[in-house]
Amino acid sequence: MYAVTGATGRLGRLVIEALLKTIPADRIVAAVRNTVKASDLAERGVIVREADYSRPDTLGPALDGVEKLLLISSTEVSGRLPRHRAVIEAAKVAGVSLIAYTSMLHADTSPATLAIEHRQTEEVIAASGLPAVILRNGWYTENHLMALPAALEHGAFVGAAKDGRFSSAARQDYAEAAAVVLATDGHAGRTYELAADQAFTLAGLAAEVSRQSGKATVYNDFSEVAYRDVLTGTGLPADLAALLADADAAASRGALFDDGGTLGRLIGRPTIPMESLVATVLRG
């Protein structure tokens, strides 16, 4: 059987959908914190099991009979490592034959603070002895576009990335890649740096929004500290604002750029262009 943790999240649901194209529903386990939120998956024949990262007693039963597991990283801002370790330990006890983990682009060398717990999780997986594949996902293009309504209202995107290039890809692309490594063989022991075919700067994103929307939109670059303050001013928690500002600063130094083309090769098609996602969001 194939299991996906965090299966009711935005990435997890897309992975389940991709798996269902080639894997029977009764061979797929949606491991979720709240089973009620997965009722639609259960109605389609997917096996739904409770799996709460913070409650290790739920993890063993959730992984019973599972051969291949996708561990989608926790959405917690910090404190992810103990949660990830609990899943990895449960997977080892359950006899899982392959664990795939959604890490961060260039996690082993990235200067971004967000990369630290991803790097540590990779180390825990390696120490476990479990056959594994590491999926180092770049930024999601959708993350950039969360700011689109405000950018259109004020005529500007803001950040601290300078002219750093983002090889951001669509969530759909990353989901299909995860499904491929679960549903096909030959991936154990591999680390995949996953990024879009074409990179863009935040100024380039603003220009594309201007072109498609007809509303003049620019990119205003701030210092890391000033951008952090802007984010907290919008109501973001201070620790999350600091992490996002730090990630932008890291991007200015190339941390979120990769031109290896691995993602497109893995999914067997070109990655979804930023321009397409801008069009989709603008259509509402």
Side-chain angles (χ1 to χ4, degrees), residues 48-241:
V48 175
R49 295 176 179 172
E50 182 184 11
D52 189 331
Y53 294 169
S54 63
R55 292 175 53 217
D57 59 297
T58 67
L59 301 176
L63 299 181
D64 183 40
V66 169
E67 298 160 349
K68 294 185 177 182
L69 167 67
L70 174 65
L71 169 56
I72 293 180
S73 58
S74 169
T75 57
E76 300 294 329
V77 175
S78 62
R80 298 182 186 191
L81 185 60
R83 293 172 170 81
H84 294 168
R85 181 183 286 112
V87 178
I88 295 162
E89 291 174 351
K92 186 170 184 178
V93 172
V96 169
S97 61
L98 180 74
I99 183 170
Y101 172 64
T102 59
S103 186
M104 182 177 176
L105 191 66
H106 302 303
D108 56 337
T109 59
S110 176
T113 302
L114 277 169
I116 295 173
E117 287 190 297
H118 287 297
R119 184 160 57 242
Q120 292 170 334
T121 299
E122 290 185 16
E123 292 169 353
V124 172
I125 290 172
S128 75
L130 284 170
V133 54
I134 305 300
L135 304 171
R136 289 182 176 162
N137 292 352
W139 231 228
Y140 297 167
T141 307
E142 290 90 342
N143 288 350
H144 298 286
L145 297 179
M146 289 175 65
L148 183 55
L152 290 173
E153 179 182 355
H154 299 290
F157 284 91
V158 296
K162 297 184 172 58
D163 58 355
R165 290 181 290 173
F166 290 82
S167 298
S168 303
R171 190 174 282 110
Q172 180 68 41
D173 294 335
Y174 296 122
E176 290 184 22
V180 165
V181 303
L182 288 184
T184 62
D185 297 325
H187 303 285
R190 303 289 298 274
T191 295
Y192 292 115
E193 303 287 353
L194 301 180
D197 296 336
Q198 300 295 325
F200 56 86
T201 64
L202 295 184
L205 173 62
E208 182 61 26
V209 169
S210 292
R211 186 185 71 81
Q212 292 197 34
S213 69
K215 298 180 179 179
T217 308
V218 300
Y219 169 60
N220 289 333
D221 193 71
F222 291 83
S223 70
E224 180 182 343
V225 172
Y227 181 43
R228 181 199 64 197
D229 292 343
V230 168
L231 292 173
T232 55
T234 66
L236 283 185
D239 52 354
L240 177 57

